[in-house]
C-alpha cells in the first residue's frame, strides 16, 4: 500500500471513506498504547472530510487524537515531535493532481514511518486486524489551533531574524493554492519581508496551476518577479515540503543548484559534516562541500530514506534535487518554509544576489527524461542498462537504486518510477550538450529495447 511517499490514490475510486477508515484503524491497532496521535491535512477538497475520517477511526481504535487542521507536511511532522506525540497521520497527496489524496504516517520522532511500521500496518490491514474498543476505551479528539505558530516559532529560532528584518527583502511567494497558504505568508511577515502572494488562498482544485512547482507551471511567478524587481521568487508544492526559487533576474533556479548552495552553507556553518542525498543528485554537491570538510553519502531515492540515513549517520544536511531540503538542526524532514528562511538568511549574510550565489557553484548540468516501460519489463531492462550505453564508456556502475553508469563525460542513471510505468533517466555532465546527449541516447536505447521486447512477446 505504501509507496516511496505514503499512500496516494484517486479520491472516490480507490481512496474511499472506508479505505481511509480501515487504514487508520490498522494504524491504531499497530500503535495500541502508543498515542496520542497528531492528525493534520493538506488543502485538497477531500482533506477535511478524510482527515476527520482518519481522526475518528484512530479514536475508535483507542488512540487520543489532536487535530491540527490544514498545515504543510513538515509542520505536522514538527508538531508530532514538539508535542511528544506517539505518532502522526497526514492526509495529503503532496504535488499530485487534484483528484488524488493520500495518507502519510509519521513516527514519534517526526520522521516518516519506518518501512517496518508500514509493513505492520499493511499486515494489520490485510488481516482485518482493527482495534475495536468498547465505549470506555475510545480515544478523545481535541482541536489544536496552534500548530502553525509552533512550527513558525521553530523556523524563526533557526535564522537571523534581526538581520532579515533590517534587510526587508522583496519576495514573491507562489503558494499554488496548497497548504503553504497557512504558514509561508506569516513566515515572510515575521521575517520582515515585503511580499506578494500568488495563488495564496487554499483551493484544492488548484485553479492557478498544477501543484508540482516546475518552471513550466511557474510562469506567472517568473513574470511577477521580473515586473516588480523582487529579490527572489519562491514556490511550494501542494504540501509544502519543498521550495523552488526564482532569482532576482526572473530566472528559474534548478533544484540541484539550490541544494548544492545550501549544502555548502550548512557544511560551512557546521565546520564539515556529512550531506545525505540520493543517487540522482549532482556531482556539484561533493565538489562544493569538499573545500569545507564536507562529504557526500548517497542513498536510494525517496526523502524518508534520506531522513533515516541522516539520523543514523549524523548528517548535517540532506535532501533531493527537486526542492526538498532537510536542515538537521531544525528537523530531519524536507521543509519548504525552512528552506525559504534559510535561503533568505544566506542572501542577507552574503550580501550577494541569488544569481551571483548560483554562479559560484560548480558548473554541472543535470537533465531528466522519461521513457514508458511496462512494470513487468522493469528488471529485464535494468539489467541491460550498461550494455545499452552507446555514448561514452562505462567506467563505473552503481546499482544502489536503478542503474547509474559513470562515463568519461559524466553519468547517466536509469531508474523505474515508484508510482508510474515509466523509467526516469537522469544524466549529468559539466557540458550541457553532453548531458543532453547522454540522456537522449539512453532514453532512445531504452525505448528501442522495450519495444523490441514487446514486439517479440
Ligand atoms: Mg510534497
Amino acid at each position: 500500500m505504501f509507496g516511496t511517499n505514503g499512500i496516494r490514490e484517486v479520491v472516490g475510486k480507490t481512496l474511499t471513506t472506508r479505505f481511509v477508515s480501515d487504514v487508520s484503524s490498522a494504524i491504531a491497532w499497530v500503535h495500541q498504547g502508543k498515542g496520542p496521535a497528531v492528525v493534520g491535512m493538506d488543502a485538497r477538497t477531500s482533506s477535511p472530510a478524510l482527515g476527520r475520517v482518519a481522526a475518528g477511526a484512530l479514536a475508535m481504535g483507542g488512540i487520543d487524537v489532536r487535530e491540527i487542521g490544514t498545515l504543510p507536511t513538515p509542520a505536522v511532522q514538527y508538531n508530532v515531535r514538539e508535542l511528544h506525540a506517539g505518532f502522526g497521520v497526514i492526509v495529503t497527496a503532496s504535488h499530485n493532481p487534484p483528484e488524488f489524496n493520500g495518507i502519510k504516517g509519521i513516527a514519534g520522532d517526526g520522521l516518516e514511518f519506518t518501512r517496518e511500521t508500514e509493513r505492520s500496518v499493511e499486515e494489520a490491514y490485510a488481516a482485518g486486524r482493527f482495534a475495536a474498543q468498547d465505549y470506555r476505551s475510545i480515544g478523545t479528539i481535541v482541536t489544536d489551533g496552534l500548530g502553525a505558530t509552533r512550527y513558525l516559532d521553530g523556523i524563526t529560532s533557526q535564522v537571523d531574524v534581526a538581520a532579515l528584518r533590517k534587510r526587508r527583502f522583496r519576495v514573491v511567494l507562489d503558494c499554488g493554492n496548497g497548504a503553504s497558504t497557512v504558514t509561508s505568508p506569516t513566515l515572510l511577515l515575521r521575517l520582515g519581508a515585503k511580499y506578494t502572494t500568488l495563488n495564496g488562498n487554499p483551493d484544492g482544485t488548484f485553479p492557478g496551476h498544477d501543484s508540482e512547482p516546475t518552471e513550466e507551471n511557474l510562469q506567472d511567478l517568473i513574470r511577477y518577479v521580473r515586473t516588480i524587481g523582487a529579490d527572489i521568487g519562491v514556490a511550494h508544492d501542494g504540501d509544502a515540503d519543498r521550495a523552488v526559487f526564482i532569482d532576482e533576474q526572473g530566472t528559474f533556479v534548478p533544484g540541484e543548484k539550490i541544494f548544492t548552495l545550501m549544502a555548502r552553507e550548512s557544511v560551512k556553518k557546521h565546520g564539515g559534516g556529512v550531506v545525505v542525498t540520493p543517487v540522482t543528485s549532482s556531482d556539484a554537491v561533493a565538489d562544493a562541500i569538499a573545500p569545507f570538510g564536507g562529504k557526500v553519502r548517497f542513498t536510494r531515492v525517496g526523502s524518508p530514506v534520506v531522513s533515516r540515513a541522516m539520523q543514523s549517520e549524523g548528517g548535517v544536511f540532506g535532501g533531493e534535487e527537486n526542492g526538498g531540503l532537510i536542515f538537521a538542526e531544525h528537523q530531519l524532514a524536507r521543509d519548504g518554509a525552512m528552506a525559504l528562511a534559510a535561503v533568505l538568511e544566506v542572501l542577507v549574510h552574503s550580501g550577494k544576489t541569488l544569481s551571483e550565489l548560483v554562479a559560484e557553484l560548480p558548473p554541472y548540468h543535470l537533465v531528466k527524461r522519461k521513457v514508458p516501460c511496462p512494470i513487468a519489463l522493469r528488471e529485464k531492462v535494468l539489467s541491460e542498462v550498461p550494455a545499452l550505453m552507446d555514448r561514452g564508456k562505462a567506467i563505473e556502475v552503481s546499482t544502489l537504486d536503478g542503474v547509474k553508469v559513470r562515463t568519461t563525460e559524466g553519468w547517466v542513471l536509469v531508474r523505474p518510477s515508484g508510482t508510474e510505468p515509466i523509467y526516469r533517466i537522469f544524466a549529468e555532465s559539466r557540458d550541457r550538450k553532453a548531458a543532453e546527449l547522454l540522456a537522449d541516447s539512453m532514453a532512445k536505447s531504452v525505448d528501442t529495447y522495450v519495444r523490441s521486447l514487446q514486439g517479440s512477446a
Side-chain angles (χ1 to χ4, degrees), residues 413-448:
L413 168 72
V414 182
R415 72 174 285 277
S417 156
T419 48
E420 298 165 77
I422 57 166
Y423 270 115
R424 292 185 194 285
I425 294 173
F426 299 74
E428 186 182 67
S429 172
R430 280 182 166 260
D431 179 64
R432 174 177 294 282
K433 250 282 50 73
E436 281 169 358
L437 286 169
L438 267 174
D440 288 336
S441 79
M442 180 55 81
K444 200 168 153 238
S445 302
V446 169
D447 195 44
T448 308

Side-chain angles (χ1 to χ4, degrees), residues 8 94-95 237-242 334:
R8 286 190 202 158
S94 181
H95 60 276
D237 68 323
D239 67 338
D241 52 359
R242 294 186 281 141
R334 300 194 295 188

Side-chain angles (χ1 to χ4, degrees), residues 7 15-29 36-42 46-68 87-92 101-105 113 131 138-141:
I7 294 170
L15 195 74
T16 58
T17 310
R18 177 164 189 174
F19 178 69
V20 172
S21 170
D22 286 354
V23 171
S24 304
S25 298
I27 292 173
W29 192 86
V38 166
V39 175
M41 64 188 82
D42 68 15
S46 56
S47 293
L50 296 177
R52 286 179 176 104
V53 169
L58 290 170
M60 287 301 285
I63 304 283
D64 288 335
V65 173
R66 195 186 277 241
E67 285 185 305
I68 56 172
F87 66 102
V89 171
I90 312 176
V91 173
T92 180
N101 212 333
I103 300 171
K104 197 169 176 139
F113 277 176
I138 289 167
T140 56
I141 302 182

